[in-house]
Amino acid sequence: MADNPLRLKSIHHVELWVGNAKQAAYYYRHAFGFSQFAYAGLETGRRDATSYALQQGKARLVLTTPMAPDDPINDHIRLHGDGVRDIAFHVDDADAAFREAVARGAQPVSEPVDRTDGSGSIRHAAIATYGHTIHSFISYRDYAGPFLPGYVGKDAPGREAGLLRIDHMVGNVELGRMNSWADWYSRVLGFSRYISFDDKDISTEYSALMSIVMSDDSFAIKFPINEPAAGKKKSQIEEYLDFYRGPGVQHIALLTTDIVATVRTLRANGVEFLRVPDSYYDVLGARVGAIDEAFEVVRDLGLLVDRDEEGYLLQLFTKPVEDRPTLFFEIIQRKGSRGFGKGNFRALFESIEREQALRGNL
Ligand code: FE2
């Protein structure tokens, strides 16, 4: 059992750097059901960038766009398109977390500083992880405002879909780098290897991937790390790496306790999901046995089901949420299973490959 050397408490928020945060905020509110609760921009005295803070359950997204052409955020957007910049942690003590992480070999990005406004202060620091992705450390002093210093409360409701929190976040890294990044999460953050998949678990005729799931000691923060594996044609991980121009966050999995209601809402909101072949449902009952949900509903909504020794899970994956085939989302409900849907990999990858073929990338 690992300890918690950085005293991580939770994922505080996930920040995406995007080309047009105003429009992205509208999409995440109207399609995914996040509600905006805070804002920082020209009207609040912030001149360099505009940020929207959105929340659904405990999952918080921040969408940020720079205002000036020479802002370094533009380098990230030019290279990667819209994508995740920061998986920020709430910690006991940002100074201690940063010191310990750097002592354990992390590359510093931002030294600890106070961030202050009329509502009080927080401490902030950051380290680098794979690609241009970072982990911020945030600890609270006396801050009593809506989100973080610099933000004002500004509500704009979304079409709530019952999403509760981030279940896991997956990083894609280059061929041959999965083990070293898994070791990095072990050495720097004190995470343990929770489960791993190799190309025998996850391969189709054309493409394969390998994955190691790293988790904190409470299993609340889970970060699978993927790398491509050899196949006849380009794997989905290679396609991601080509279009993201390097390693980065591949998907964010959001937890619900009623996936039928959640996916009904998301579909009505216009979220596009991957669809497995109908043949998947011909053998589903034999593969997973009895489940609480009505089989016809599961099939009509296109939900995927997997069972292991502990129970079962239901999941569904969106198509990429940008024009580049990069970041996508997963909706997941756990009914005892702590797995990742290994039994669905083949059907899922075949449907991903159909999409890749349509994009001319297989
Ligand atoms: Fe996942």
Side-chain angles (χ1 to χ4, degrees), residues 156-168:
R159 294 183 194 159
E160 161 75 41
L163 295 168
L164 297 175
R165 64 179 185 84
I166 293 171
D167 183 87
H168 59 275

Side-chain angles (χ1 to χ4, degrees), residues 188-248:
V188 176
L189 272 68
F191 283 18
S192 309
R193 194 176 282 230
Y194 180 70
I195 192 167
S196 56
F197 305 101
D198 64 23
D199 51 357
K200 283 177 281 304
D201 296 319
I202 319 180
S203 70
T204 61
E205 187 185 357
Y206 289 140
S207 65
L209 67 79
M210 304 206 283
S211 187
I212 298 175
V213 182
M214 301 302 294
S215 169
D216 74 325
D217 59 351
S218 69
F219 307 114
I221 305 172
K222 297 183 288 286
F223 291 153
I225 312 280
N226 294 338
E227 74 173 31
K232 277 189 198 167
K233 293 195 179 181
K234 183 183 283 189
S235 77
Q236 53 173 300
I237 309 303
E238 286 172 275
E239 186 194 37
Y240 175 100
L241 295 169
D242 284 354
F243 280 85
Y244 199 71
R245 299 296 194 276

Side-chain angles (χ1 to χ4, degrees), residues 167-170 224 250-253 315 317 328-330 332 334 339-341 345:
D167 183 87
H168 59 275
M169 287 188 64
V170 181
Q250 180 210 39
H251 74 266
I252 302 172
Q315 63 188 165
F317 297 84
F328 60 88
F329 284 77
E330 173 183 351
I332 184 166
R334 296 184 178 281
F340 293 83
F345 288 164

